[in-house]
Amino acid sequence: MRSAPHGGILVGVERLPQRDQPHARLLDTLGDEEELTMLLAVIIFLATLVLVIWQPKGLGIGWSALGGAVVALLAGVVHLADIPVVWDIVWNATLTFVAVIIICSILDEAGFFEWAALHVARWARGNGSALFNLIVVLGAAIAALFANDGAALTLTPIVFGMIVGLKFEPKVAFGLVIATGFIADTASLPFVVSNLVNIVVADFFDIGFARYALVMVPVALVSLAASLAVLRIFFRKSIPGSYDVSALPRPRAAVTDPMTFRAGVVVLVVLLGGYFATDAIGVPVAAVAVLCALVLALIAARQPHALFRRLSGVERATDVNEGLVAAQATGGAPLTVGADPARTTVIPAAQPQIAVWSVVKSAPWQIVVFSLGMYLVVYGLRSEGLTDHLGQLLANLAQHGDLATATGTGFLVAGMSSVMNNMPTTLIAALGIEASGATGLTGQMMAYAAVIGADLGPKITPIGSLATLLWLSVLDRKGMHIGWGTYFKVGIVLTIPVLAVTLLALALWLTILGP
């Protein structure tokens, strides 16, 4: 039996006496109403999804999702009581995501990522094949710490600038750019914070940061190795040859704010350590990320001003002492502060070098509204019983063993992500896993496989993730247009083998670890 939309129990019409026609007509009416509400839930979901992906006239994703949620509320597909339930699912994920992106953006303004990329280019010693490998590894590291969006949106312009500076051919440029975008998602597995969907699934199934890392770090390393192998095979004719290292600027020249740069390194260590340390006491990852973002933003903004004014005085005194020592060593006159223009640029430590408020304002705040609105719309699908069908399918997969559970769930979620975006897919998959009734190792296998499917599946099509759509727009502004057809032909060839290998690694490793 199942509940009717307005309470009560629906009983099969065939069980009613034939003479009780009024009751039969009433049940028929209720059945029609249920089907109509279910159809309405699907239409609202699809319409909202189209608006989110299409973004007509620059309509923000948050407003599209919010509009869909309002329509769902007015239509009775979801109810006001569902709002706190959905907010409880999304708040930790969205606030963590925004905080990590703010940290990423501040470090980008300070020159951190360009500095890292220039070091990588020098480590390759002019060997194009080594450069290709190192850029992929750098992208994986950035994705692990700063989420897939941070990796794609910060590293791509830097790699593009490197391509221009080294005068690589167009086919070489295409291979490097695709590799940068591809690895941003396929390497966003190792930590809960490496992808927004990771946080949603971890929160939904109460998976701690340490447990998640224990399971997914080895799997992520397999995904990285598989991604690099597939990329090298696919772009074997596009991997650059030798290049002139001297054409690149010195890494130190990329640093625009040394104080924020140094503080950022410390913040990153504290951030990662804090995730593990607070996991044991149940502190949400959002608390750690927001605190670290606030500290770094205050340092970049030189606030509180009185503290940085005193630091500036210490820096000036240090510079004067260094000048006196240098003068005595050379037998010349003492150097005065400000005499050397190069030194003058680093003396005023109290003056911010980064427009922090602009960085904060440009953070993806709409993702908060989007997550709440879109997930309310998705929750309507659950209310109408649609996710129960997915649960039944997953339950059938579970009957064929752990390998079938991992690969079946992963490919199913990947396919859904590629055609209807990984954000709504993630909650649909989580609700489906819950509806399947799977527990223990089987339930965990489904949850982690869903993460892999939602992280890798979006690389098949341009609409699979919002990060990919933003990444393509960044390339357009740089003068490199990649059509959706071209993207799909490359994306599906690259993604399928990496997805298969990664899911096999999950099935093996999680079976060894146990629940």
Side-chain angles (χ1 to χ4, degrees):
M1 297 188 226
R2 67 179 166 173
S3 299
H6 304 292
I9 301 296
L10 288 181
V11 185
V13 175
E14 66 277 7
R15 296 183 182 178
L16 294 173
Q18 291 297 318
R19 66 178 182 274
D20 201 352
Q21 294 302 322
H23 287 294
R25 285 197 298 270
L26 175 60
L27 288 172
D28 286 341
T29 301
L30 289 175
D32 291 342
E33 182 181 338
E34 187 179 53
E35 291 177 3
L36 180 62
T37 308
M38 185 181 295
L39 178 61
L40 191 57
V42 173
I43 291 173
I44 292 172
F45 170 73
L46 293 176
T48 304
L49 189 61
V50 168
L51 288 175
V52 165
I53 294 172
W54 181 27
Q55 297 181 36
K57 297 184 178 179
L59 181 65
I61 59 172
W63 304 124
S64 298
L66 185 61
V70 170
V71 173
L73 283 167
L74 293 175
V77 172
V78 292
H79 307 284
L80 290 175
D82 294 328
I83 295 177
V85 175
V86 173
W87 177 245
D88 187 57
I89 295 173
V90 304
W91 75 268
N92 189 35
T94 53
L95 293 184
T96 301
F97 177 77
V98 171
V100 168
I101 292 299
I102 288 175
I103 293 172
C104 180
S105 299
I106 291 174
L107 288 177
D108 188 36
E109 291 290 326
F112 179 83
F113 299 109
E114 186 174 357
W115 171 87
L118 288 171
H119 269 295
V120 161
R122 289 181 176 277
W123 290 342
R125 299 179 181 275
N127 185 319
S129 180
L131 176 66
F132 188 92
N133 294 345
L134 288 173
I135 285 178
V136 169
V137 172
L138 176 62
I142 295 174
L145 294 174
F146 299 102
N148 57 327
D149 300 72
L153 300 181
T154 59
L155 191 56
T156 299
I158 294 169
V159 170
F160 195 87
M162 191 184 298
I163 289 168
V164 174
L166 295 174
K167 300 178 181 178
F168 285 140
E169 297 178 5
K171 67 175 184 178
V172 173
F174 181 77
L176 286 171
V177 166
I178 290 291
T180 303
F182 185 76
I183 202 64
D185 281 311
T186 61
S188 64
L189 295 170
F191 303 120
V192 167
V193 295
S194 301
N195 197 311
L196 184 59
V197 302
N198 301 4
I199 311 175
V200 172
V201 173
D203 282 354
F204 194 95
F205 295 104
D206 294 322
I207 302 172
F209 190 92
R211 169 64 182 184
Y212 181 95
L214 177 64
V215 174
M216 293 300 273
V217 166
V219 175
L221 292 175
V222 172
S223 180
L224 171 59
S227 298
L228 182 56
V230 169
L231 286 166
R232 287 191 63 89
I233 293 171
F234 190 86
F235 292 112
R236 60 190 179 278
K237 296 181 180 179
S238 303
I239 293 176
S242 60
Y243 61 92
D244 183 9
V245 177
S246 64
L248 296 169
R250 292 281 178 183
R252 185 180 298 179
V255 179
T256 59
D257 187 341
M259 178 179 289
T260 302
F261 179 93
R262 292 191 294 269
V265 175
V266 176
V267 164
L268 290 182
V269 174
V270 172
L271 183 68
L272 190 56
Y275 288 143
F276 284 101
T278 57
D279 179 43
I281 57 177
V283 175
V285 291
V288 180
V290 169
L291 180 60
C292 287
L294 179 61
V295 169
L296 188 60
L298 288 174
I299 292 172
R302 306 298 193 263
Q303 295 293 332
H305 192 62
L307 172 63
F308 286 95
R309 222 176 18 244
R310 286 196 290 272
L311 288 175
S312 183
V314 171
E315 187 172 324
R316 283 189 173 89
T318 302
D319 258 18
V320 169
N321 291 334
E322 288 177 353
L324 288 170
V325 170
Q328 291 169 1
T330 57
L335 296 176
T336 58
V337 176
D340 185 350
R343 295 170 72 85
T344 305
T345 59
V346 296
I347 287 176
Q351 298 301 318
Q353 307 297 312
I354 298 171
V356 177
W357 182 239
S358 296
V359 170
V360 173
K361 285 195 299 183
S362 64
W365 294 106
Q366 282 216 21
I367 201 71
V368 179
V369 182
F370 168 78
S371 296
L372 179 59
M374 194 74 222
Y375 280 8
L376 268 173
V377 173
V378 170
Y379 211 71
L381 300 180
R382 179 199 191 186
S383 300
E384 301 310 319
L386 290 174
T387 55
D388 291 342
H389 297 296
L390 177 61
Q392 185 59 51
L393 177 59
L394 293 173
N396 292 337
L397 283 173
Q399 295 176 3
H400 299 283
D402 293 335
L403 181 60
T405 300
T407 54
T409 303
F411 272 98
L412 178 61
V413 174
M416 292 167 60
S417 296
S418 68
V419 297
M420 66 182 196
N421 194 269
N422 65 340
M423 283 291 288
T425 295
T426 300
L427 186 57
I428 292 174
L431 294 170
I433 293 170
E434 182 184 55
S436 73
T439 58
L441 182 63
T442 301
Q444 289 191 31
M445 194 74 74
M446 286 182 183
Y448 289 112
V451 167
I452 293 172
D455 283 2
L456 273 64
K459 302 316 295 179
I460 297 175
T461 66
I463 63 172
S465 71
L466 299 175
T468 300
L469 292 171
L470 290 172
W471 175 71
L472 289 172
S473 68
V474 169
L475 291 179
D476 272 336
R477 290 196 296 272
K478 295 289 183 181
M480 177 181 281
H481 176 73
I482 299 177
W484 284 25
T486 301
Y487 184 95
F488 175 74
K489 285 187 290 187
V490 174
I492 193 168
V493 172
L494 294 176
T495 304
I496 297 301
V498 175
L499 179 61
V501 170
T502 306
L503 289 170
L504 289 173
L506 170 69
L508 176 62
W509 177 236
L510 192 53
T511 301
I512 294 172
L513 281 180

